Amino acid sequence: MPNSQVQKNTILEVKELNAWFGDFHAVKNINLKVEQNDILALIGPSGCGKSTFIRTINRLHEEVPGARVTGEVRLLGQDIYKMDPVKIRRQVGMVFQKPNPFPGLSIFENVAVGLKLSGIQRKSILTEIVEKSLKQAALWNEVKDKLNEPGTSLSGGQQQRLCIARALAVTPPILLMDEPTSALDPISTARIEDLLQDLKKYVTIVIVTHNMQQASRVSTKTAFFLSGELIEFGDTSQVFTKPNKQKTEEYITGRFG
Amino acid sequence: MNLDNVMSVHDFKRKVKNYFMIGLICLSALVAIFPLISVFVFVLQKGLPSLSWDFFTQLPAPVGETGGGMAQSILGSFYLIAVASLIGVPWGIASAIYITEYGYGKTVFLLRFSNDLLMGVPSIVMGLFVYSFVVAPMKGFSWLAGSLALGLIMIPIVSRSTEEILKTVPSHIREAGLALGIPRYKVILHIILKGSWGAILTGIILSVARISGETAPLLFTAFNNQYWSHSLTQPVSSLPVQIYTYAISPFEEWQAQAWSGALVLILFIFVINIAVRLLFHKK
């Protein structure tokens, strides 16, 4: 947003969040706030808890047997761990590392499925939302003449944009992206990075990335994770130019990780 | 020069060995398909002469009269398979869904293990089981009892094949469904099953092919019937049992018909297998 100094609303607030897989303490005592229309990039070496962290925000973490969470995650003020996970997930979209359109469903159905299975059956409404979501995901022009073809028939980059459209169709205020471009070629990656700049008009984004250039290009806020801890959190320009912590500097300059 | 000679002798030996092994492998492949081809040719020779339109449309003729057919057995087989599928398919799929989607740890191990055991139970034992728990209390052989025995045989087959297919659906597909705020049971029904329906259907049809030739479990459950029967509580004829009855009879006419029955049964199973492969294995 151009006038970023204007008072923004906090959309996501995380307090003393811890997550475990069995005995393994994967995420340790995280506190952070995300404001509306921010793009928060989570960076850090493999296994540092970034993915686990975002999976606590839509309560997917607990779907793994033996997984456990303590602490608070507030989405628009509501404590999500006191709510029905199904309802939470309708408000938190997610895009995965590998493009994963639902096999056996057409392009149209892939985008409509979230609405359809939560009870919206009116064809006219579905058509309208599918078109809108595909446009937001910058895929409409490429697929508008073949909406009935299988979603899996698209190229990798198109599939990932289809997955973004699928997540946007249920109009979540926040979108989680778990290394959304790590399985894509450079051109598809660039398209998705461009897309993020448009998307932040409608939705707040939390993106996990291994690619530091990507983090510095696309995000407004950056959080650096190491061994499950949040080492540094701040404006992207500050984290990348004058980090407060030595570990952060070592990581972003490529001394480890 | 010298080295070249050494190499070529070595090469020659290697090539001979290679051809010898390829020959052996081809031979074993032939040995494997030889029984299939010979059975088919033999049954074709024996069964084709007395195969006629009457065979498919007429009831058996009384002893001493020529003609007649196995119409009631063909229809009976369809009846038995249809109701058996109603029992075996949902049960098998439900068990596979539990194993892959809900259960974990020891429960899954136990379920899978009992499925394997169930698959290893001789089909005649399944017949005996149904005999003592259904036929005896109901005081009579019946279509229902026969289908129950066949259905029990289907459960582990359908369960195992469905499980194998559900296991190939990557977990991030399930997570993508859940992440859209879709309840787990809807993710399973509308996304996981929908995406793998073709493959699951293949498993179901192959299990139908498997039970359509079962004889032993029907001998004391559905028994046999020389007439049309359309009642779940009455004995019903089936191709395998009719073949068995005719094959051990002293009458040449009947024995010839048993061969025709065998041919029809084999063709049915062939057609099912080939159709399934054509329909679902193209991609």
Side-chain angles (χ1 to χ4, degrees):
Chain A
M1 295 259 99
N3 45 356
S4 58
Q5 294 311 309
V6 175
Q7 177 70 40
K8 290 203 253 174
N9 299 323
T10 300
I11 188 158
L12 182 74
E13 190 173 5
V14 177
K15 283 183 196 162
E16 289 166 21
L17 185 84
N18 287 278
W20 287 266
F21 291 103
D23 292 334
F24 177 63
H25 197 174
V27 168
K28 298 169 189 161
N29 203 30
I30 306 296
N31 291 285
L32 60 77
K33 274 186 189 174
V34 184
E35 275 149 7
Q36 207 158 9
N37 306 102
D38 263 346
I39 297 184
L40 166 64
L42 306 179
I43 59 170
S46 297
C48 68
K50 316 178 289 279
S51 294
T52 308
F53 172 68
I54 68 165
R55 289 163 59 91
T56 62
I57 302 173
N58 64 351
R59 297 189 60 176
L60 259 192
H61 175 68
E62 68 203 69
E63 294 292 335
V64 179
R68 195 154 64 81
V69 177
T70 63
E72 239 177 69
V73 176
R74 288 188 173 274
L75 179 70
L76 295 164
Q78 38 185 6
D79 184 350
I80 69 161
Y81 281 92
K82 295 208 170 93
M83 293 173 67
D84 178 4
V86 167
K87 286 195 180 126
I88 289 304
R89 292 178 193 139
R90 281 185 199 152
Q91 298 180 54
V92 186
M94 186 159 189
V95 176
F96 294 78
Q97 187 169 358
K98 268 173 100 179
N100 53 4
F102 297 132
L105 299 193
S106 70
I107 294 171
F108 183 93
E109 289 169 323
N110 256 289
V111 183
V113 72
L115 296 163
K116 234 175 166 177
L117 295 184
S118 50
I120 296 171
Q121 299 292 344
R122 279 273 291 279
K123 184 85 182 160
S124 57
I125 299 176
L126 290 176
T127 315
E128 193 182 309
I129 297 178
V130 166
E131 180 175 342
K132 187 176 153 220
S133 312
L134 283 168
K135 279 179 175 161
Q136 287 178 344
L139 187 61
W140 176 250
N141 286 331
E142 290 155 67
V143 299
K144 63 181 176 204
D145 299 321
K146 49 176 183 180
L147 291 173
N148 290 321
E149 284 178 26
T152 45
S153 68
L154 297 171
S155 74
Q158 289 173 325
Q159 285 188 15
Q160 194 62 305
R161 277 178 281 144
L162 180 64
C163 294
I164 293 174
R166 177 177 72 191
L168 292 174
V170 290
T171 56
I174 184 163
L175 183 64
L176 310 174
M177 304 180 105
D178 191 356
E179 296 181 41
T181 62
S182 63
L184 304 180
D185 63 86
I187 295 173
S188 305
T189 299
R191 290 203 68 158
I192 291 195
E193 286 184 9
D194 288 346
L195 175 60
L196 293 184
Q197 300 310 316
D198 292 331
L199 285 182
K200 72 173 185 180
K201 291 175 217 151
Y202 324 107
V203 62
T204 307
I205 295 169
V206 179
I207 180 172
V208 171
T209 178
H210 264 300
N211 179 331
M212 254 142 346
Q213 285 78 22
Q214 181 170 67
S216 65
R217 275 194 301 265
V218 303
S219 68
T220 53
K221 291 274 168 60
T222 296
F224 171 55
F225 278 67
L226 188 63
S227 313
E229 284 173 79
L230 177 60
I231 303 293
E232 183 154 3
F233 172 58
D235 286 336
T236 297
S237 52
Q238 173 255 313
V239 173
F240 276 90
T241 52
K242 34 183 191 309
N244 293 325
K245 301 277 165 57
Q246 199 193 337
K247 279 282 173 207
T248 316
E249 193 188 347
E250 284 174 13
Y251 182 70
I252 59 180
T253 53
R255 247 169 277 166
F256 73 96
Chain B
M1 188 69 196
N2 202 10
L3 190 67
D4 268 6
N5 270 336
V6 174
M7 283 307 276
S8 68
V9 169
H10 179 80
D11 262 12
F12 180 73
K13 273 189 179 169
R14 187 178 56 75
K15 273 184 185 159
V16 168
K17 245 190 227 166
N18 189 30
Y19 285 126
F20 179 71
M21 291 315 285
I22 290 178
L24 265 186
I25 288 166
C26 289
L27 196 68
S28 12
L30 278 179
V31 168
I33 58 168
F34 178 74
L36 176 72
I37 293 173
S38 53
V39 164
F40 186 63
V41 170
F42 193 64
V43 173
L44 203 63
Q45 275 173 351
K46 291 276 200 173
L48 209 52
S50 49
L51 199 61
S52 65
W53 185 242
D54 278 358
F55 184 86
F56 297 96
T57 56
Q58 299 295 312
L59 289 177
V63 183
E65 280 180 34
T66 53
M70 288 193 186
Q72 94 289 12
S73 309
I74 295 172
L75 184 73
S77 268
F78 278 111
Y79 280 170
L80 283 165
I81 291 170
V83 174
S85 304
L86 286 181
I87 298 165
V89 171
W91 201 327
I93 292 183
S95 135
I97 288 177
Y98 184 81
I99 289 174
T100 49
E101 309 292 329
Y102 287 97
Y104 52 87
K106 275 193 183 135
T107 334
V108 164
F109 171 78
L110 267 174
L111 276 172
R112 205 174 273 152
F113 187 63
S114 22
N115 254 342
D116 286 348
L117 283 181
L118 196 60
M119 212 178 307
V121 171
S123 57
I124 195 158
V125 175
M126 218 63 104
L128 272 174
F129 171 75
V130 174
Y131 179 84
S132 43
F133 282 93
V134 179
V135 177
M138 285 176 71
K139 297 196 168 49
F141 301 112
S142 63
W143 168 6
L144 184 69
S147 286
L148 193 59
L150 294 181
L152 289 176
I153 295 169
M154 276 180 97
I155 292 170
I157 306 174
V158 172
S159 173
R160 180 36 74 89
S161 66
T162 307
E163 190 195 326
E164 291 303 323
I165 287 144
L166 293 182
K167 271 199 288 192
T168 64
V169 178
S171 61
H172 59 87
I173 295 279
R174 294 177 178 82
E175 291 189 336
L178 292 175
L180 281 175
I182 303 170
R184 182 173 278 265
Y185 77 96
K186 282 190 181 175
V187 172
I188 294 165
L189 288 179
H190 298 274
I191 293 171
I192 311 282
L193 287 185
K194 200 169 177 189
S196 36
W197 194 234
I200 292 174
L201 202 60
T202 305
I204 293 171
I205 295 174
L206 292 179
S207 75
V208 164
R210 162 77 161 57
I211 60 157
S212 58
E214 283 292 348
T215 321
L218 294 176
L219 284 173
F220 28 71
T221 53
F223 196 57
N224 199 354
N225 201 328
Q226 299 302 306
Y227 303 99
W228 297 111
S229 168
H230 312 286
S231 162
L232 269 173
T233 54
Q234 292 299 312
V236 68
S237 185
S238 60
L239 264 179
V241 174
Q242 187 72 344
I243 292 167
Y244 171 74
T245 313
Y246 273 21
I248 59 169
S249 79
F251 313 111
E252 251 174 53
E253 186 89 10
W254 281 15
Q255 288 167 9
Q257 290 227 340
W259 283 112
S260 302
L263 179 60
V264 171
L265 193 58
I266 286 186
L267 283 176
F268 174 70
I269 294 168
F270 271 19
V271 166
I272 284 185
N273 275 283
I274 293 167
V276 161
R277 275 164 182 79
L278 287 181
L279 279 175
F280 300 115
H281 285 257
K282 257 184 185 166
K283 293 151 211 163

